[in-house]
């Protein structure tokens, strides 16, 4: 009985000490990242791990996460998803610390000195693994890979040594100690408690210092500087007579509000001055281009709506801005492409990749290598210095942070295609009710009360020819459409609705530029993008 309780409390105290020390380690890493650009190992390890998990596991995790975030009512899905990943990464590291502590404490049977040695050993093993993972990802650090590796290795080794020493200190000393512990467990427990408090105090002090230092240093890959195009220029459709219903999302998404989705817990830090785009493979004239050389080419400006294939119906993973880049079609003749070349493979700094058919590029002059959004260089999170734009495709086909383009002689599945997502990833038509502006209702020409209802509709590069709204199971009624920013963007629609009192459900649907009605059958995002109709309930006040 007594022995049992001692063992439980020893297991618990082992975990407590291991977690306190692991928190101190993570806090030290955090400060190192913010102060000196050293790598933050938990995020690198998490990203390394997630690249290696099977596509089905990843897809399931992402969908569960997005669904949970939406159920919690969080509006910025993309930001919440990133935060969730970061918290998960920290939890994984804390779990690793606890397990290591328990494993190390088992060495207690073989004596105190052994614990200290095993602890140090465990720390160095973790150090090697994390240093390798971090080097493979090599993106959270801005220092040299050798310094980054040495930092992770050394910090893990110190952590392991302190853990081993602490657990040794807490263990009853050898056989004699075990005998004492068995006869007088309370003495053992009191001593251990005092020691835990001391270790805990020291770890907590380190944790707090690291967190405070890191927070003060706050090195953020912020939004790009420079004058926004939209600050000085009217949007191309300012003349459109339709005013959006109050509460409709902005037609032109401010770049800091644009959703962000990618496979990185930490934004790849790329030095634009040293960055080069290499174009090689089946070409007679391989090219190496600087950012300035790309900017010097004839620029293409296009208003674009980008959406993620993981965007649920009515979700926030969609945005519209003005993209600037160089036409890829115009670049082709300079390469001396061999006859055997059929595709271009684009590889990004984070290991992400996709393949584009040369036929598609030859057909579509709108495909571009983009370096600016809203007149300023791409934000680091959105692909600085270079990303591709492919009309009509979901974001998963469009690498950010491009470093290398290779001409190849066959099609290859890209990063998400390998992991079970659609090969083509053509954007599906979608329409959304953003607002039922009950508070802005007004009196119509016949004295009836009208409620402005509005939102967006988008069908890739096919455009939108009509948007329709219905009340409950009633007739479809045609909404008014605002002239879009371009043929590649969403349209804003509006319907001023005379509504009888009581509870009702509004449903919207759209018809694309080819006359195709959007798919009404509900489907989840995986594997080809969500479909189904967006609805909103309204409880109107009786007159
Ligand atoms: N290098 C790289 N490019 C990438 C991704 C990525 O993980 N790595 N994610 C893609 C996906 S799934 C989407 S939806 C878009 C999102 O672009 P945004 O974050 O600028 O909105 O980037 C695409 N390009
Ligand atoms: Mo995506």
């Amino acid at each position: 009985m007594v022995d049992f309780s001692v063992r439980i409390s020893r297991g618990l105290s082992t975990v407590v000490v291991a977690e306190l020390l692991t928190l101190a380690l993570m806090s030290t890493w955090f400060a190192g990242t913010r102060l000196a650009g050293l790598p933050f190992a938990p995020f690198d390890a998490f990203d390394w791990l997630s690249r290696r998990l099977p596509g089905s596991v990843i897809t399931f995790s992402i969908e569960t996460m997005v669904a949970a975030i939406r159920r919690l009512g969080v509006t910025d899905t993309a930001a919440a998803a990133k935060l969730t990943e970061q918290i998960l990464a920290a939890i994984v590291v804390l779990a690793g610390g606890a397990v290591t502590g328990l494993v190390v404490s088992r060495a207690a049977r073989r004596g105190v000195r052994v614990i200290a040695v095993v602890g140090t050993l465990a720390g160095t093993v973790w150090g090697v693994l994390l240093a390798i993972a971090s080097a493979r990802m090599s993106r959270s650090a801005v220092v040299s890979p050798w310094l980054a590796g040495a930092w992770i290795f050394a910090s893990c080794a110190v952590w392991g040594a302190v853990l081993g020493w602490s657990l040794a200190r807490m263990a009853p000393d050898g056989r004699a100690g075990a005998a004492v512990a068995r006869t007088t467990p309370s003495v053992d427990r009191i001593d251990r408690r005092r020691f835990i408090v001391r270790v805990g105090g020291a770890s907590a002090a380190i944790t707090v210092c690291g967190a405070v230092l890191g927070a003060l240093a706050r090195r953020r890959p912020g939004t790009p500087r420079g004058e926004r195009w939209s600050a000085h220029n009217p949007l191309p459709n300012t003349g459109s007579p339709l005013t959006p219903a109050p509460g409709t999302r902005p037609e032109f998404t401010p770049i800091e509000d644009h959703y962000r989705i990618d496979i990185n817990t930490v934004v790849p830090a790329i030095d634009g001055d040293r960055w080069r785009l290499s174009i090689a493979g089946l070409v007679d004239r391989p090219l190496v281009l600087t950012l300035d050389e790309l900017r010097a080419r004839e620029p293409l400006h296009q208003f674009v709506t980008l959406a993620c294939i993981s965007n649920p119906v009515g979700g926030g993973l969609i945005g519209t801005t003005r993209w600037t880049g160089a036409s890829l079609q115009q670049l082709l003749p300079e390469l001396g492409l061999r006859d055997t070349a059929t595709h271009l493979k684009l590889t990004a700094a984070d290991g992400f990749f996709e393949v584009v058919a040369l036929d598609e590029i030859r057909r579509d002059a709108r495909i571009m290598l983009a370096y600016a959004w809203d007149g300023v260089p791409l934000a680091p999170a959105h692909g600085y210095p270079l990303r591709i734009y492919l009309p009509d495709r979901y974001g998963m086909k469009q690498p950010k942070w491009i470093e290398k383009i290779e001409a190849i002689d066959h099609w290859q599945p890209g990063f998400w295609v390998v992991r079970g997502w659609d090969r083509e990833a053509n954007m599906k038509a979608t329409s959304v009710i953003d607002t039922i502006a009950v508070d802005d209702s007004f009196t119509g020409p016949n004295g009836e009360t009208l409620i402005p209802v509005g939102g967006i509709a988008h069908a890739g590069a096919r455009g939108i020819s009509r948007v329709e709204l219905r009340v409950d199971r009633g007739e479809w009624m045609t909404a008014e459409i605002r002239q879009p920013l371009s043929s590649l963007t969403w349209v804003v629609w509006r319907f001023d609705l005379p509504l009888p009192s009581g509870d009702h459900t509004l449903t919207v649907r759209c018809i694309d530029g080819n006359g195709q009605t959007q798919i009404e059958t509900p489907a989840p995002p995986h594997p080809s993008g969500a479909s189904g109709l967006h609805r909103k309930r309204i409880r109107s006040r009786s007159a």
Side-chain angles (χ1 to χ4, degrees):
M1 212 47 191
V2 169
D3 192 30
F4 185 63
S5 86
V6 168
R7 237 190 304 156
I8 285 190
S9 80
R10 185 162 302 144
L12 187 66
S13 47
T14 298
V15 170
V16 167
V17 165
E19 296 300 53
L20 287 169
L21 291 172
T22 308
L23 275 175
L25 177 66
M26 281 205 285
S27 186
T28 307
W29 280 336
F30 175 67
T33 301
R34 289 295 180 83
L35 290 169
L38 290 160
F40 190 71
F43 293 169
D44 287 342
F46 188 80
D47 290 350
W48 183 83
L49 204 68
S50 64
R51 302 264 196 299
R52 266 142 201 91
L53 291 172
S56 54
V57 174
I58 289 293
T59 297
F60 175 78
S61 319
I62 293 176
E63 295 206 324
T64 312
M65 181 167 74
V66 170
I69 289 167
R70 294 195 90 210
R71 211 161 300 143
L72 290 172
V74 178
T75 43
D76 190 346
T77 309
K82 277 288 165 248
L83 183 65
T84 310
E85 282 168 30
Q86 295 178 338
I87 292 169
L88 276 178
I91 290 174
V92 167
V93 171
L94 283 173
V99 170
T100 310
L102 289 170
V103 168
V104 169
S105 73
R106 287 197 70 95
R109 303 231 177 86
R110 299 178 192 279
V112 168
R113 252 187 229 123
V114 179
I115 303 189
V117 173
V118 171
T120 312
L121 206 68
T124 55
V125 169
W126 276 122
V128 170
L129 290 177
L130 288 175
I132 290 174
S134 185
R136 286 287 183 81
M137 295 293 101
S138 74
R139 295 178 331 277
S140 71
V142 289
V143 299
S144 90
W146 289 109
L147 179 58
W151 163 247
I152 294 176
F153 176 79
S155 51
C156 286
V158 169
W159 170 85
V162 175
L163 178 67
W165 172 79
S166 306
L167 295 179
R169 178 66 182 66
M170 282 157 56
D173 194 4
R175 278 194 206 104
V180 171
R182 222 173 292 126
T183 48
T184 55
S186 56
V187 171
D188 177 46
R189 233 176 310 170
I190 287 167
D191 180 48
R192 194 164 55 224
R193 206 162 285 163
R194 200 172 296 150
F195 180 75
I196 292 173
V197 168
R198 228 179 294 150
V199 171
S203 316
I206 294 176
T207 304
V208 170
C209 284
V212 168
L213 280 176
L216 289 179
R218 203 162 178 81
R219 160 202 294 265
R220 288 214 98 207
T223 43
R225 270 173 287 177
E227 293 287 319
R228 306 278 166 92
W229 174 89
S230 59
H232 302 285
N233 297 277
L235 292 170
N237 62 350
T238 25
S240 183
L242 186 80
T243 311
T248 306
R249 76 189 71 191
E251 186 171 27
F252 186 83
T253 313
I255 49 184
E256 37 283 290
D257 297 344
H258 197 286
Y259 84 89
R260 171 193 162 204
I261 288 288
D262 52 64
I263 57 175
N264 310 295
T265 310
V266 182
V267 173
I270 295 179
D271 178 345
D273 295 334
R274 279 190 294 169
W275 172 90
R276 296 288 180 274
L277 172 68
S278 99
I279 312 181
L282 300 172
V283 296
D284 288 332
R285 294 183 290 278
L287 273 183
V288 176
L289 295 171
T290 64
L291 190 51
D292 282 339
E293 285 167 337
L294 279 162
R295 287 179 182 141
R297 305 178 70 89
E298 177 72 25
L300 210 56
H301 305 288
Q302 307 184 81
F303 288 86
V304 165
T305 295
L306 181 72
C308 179
I309 196 164
S310 292
N311 194 31
V313 173
L317 304 180
I318 184 167
T320 300
T321 189
R322 180 179 182 265
W323 296 47
T324 301
S327 165
L328 194 48
Q329 198 179 66
Q330 282 176 21
L331 203 68
L332 293 187
E334 295 165 39
L335 302 174
L337 281 160
R338 307 239 172 94
D339 291 342
T340 47
T342 57
H343 291 78
L344 295 184
K345 178 176 182 178
L346 304 116
T347 308
D350 57 350
F352 189 89
F353 58 96
E354 252 302 339
V355 161
V356 190
L358 283 167
D359 281 346
E360 190 176 336
I361 301 169
R362 293 193 177 108
R363 260 198 320 266
D364 194 339
R366 300 169 299 182
I367 297 176
M368 63 177 170
L369 295 173
Y371 46 76
W373 270 12
D374 196 9
V376 290
L378 293 171
H382 292 293
Y384 179 83
L386 195 69
R387 65 185 299 166
I388 193 170
Y389 171 60
L390 298 169
D392 229 26
R393 310 282 189 145
Y394 283 116
M396 62 166 263
K397 301 295 281 186
Q398 314 191 32
K400 310 189 266 190
W401 307 294
I402 298 171
E403 285 184 336
K404 193 168 74 175
I405 299 181
E406 278 171 281
I408 57 177
D409 62 4
H410 59 283
W411 177 84
Q412 264 182 35
F415 185 93
W416 283 117
V417 180
V418 171
R419 287 161 179 77
W421 290 79
D422 198 279
R423 287 175 169 223
E424 308 300 332
N426 289 315
M427 284 187 180
K428 288 183 177 169
T430 193
S431 52
V432 183
I433 304 169
D434 282 343
T435 177
I436 304 175
V438 180
D439 293 339
D440 293 282
S441 54
F442 59 99
T443 307
N446 304 319
E448 75 282 38
T449 300
L450 295 176
I451 300 172
V453 178
I456 55 103
H458 182 238
R462 281 131 31 227
I464 295 290
S465 59
R466 195 160 75 235
V467 174
E468 297 178 331
L469 187 74
R470 76 173 181 193
V471 180
D472 302 323
R473 303 249 122 214
E475 291 289 303
W476 287 107
M477 305 172 290
T478 304
E480 287 180 283
I481 290 180
R482 192 173 146 81
Q483 182 201 321
L485 293 167
S486 84
S487 60
L488 300 169
T489 65
W490 56 31
V491 301
V492 167
W493 60 268
R494 168 175 182 148
F495 194 96
D496 292 327
L497 185 70
L499 201 71
S501 59
D503 289 359
H504 300 282
T505 300
L506 303 190
T507 308
V508 66
R509 74 174 180 187
C510 65
I511 291 104
D512 76 11
N514 302 331
Q516 281 285 323
T517 304
Q518 77 174 90
I519 303 167
E520 299 187 10
T521 317
H526 185 262
S528 306
S531 62
L533 299 182
H534 191 238
R535 300 190 164 83
K536 251 201 168 98
R537 287 187 60 78
I538 173 173
R539 185 165 301 161
S540 81
R541 293 167 291 210
S542 47

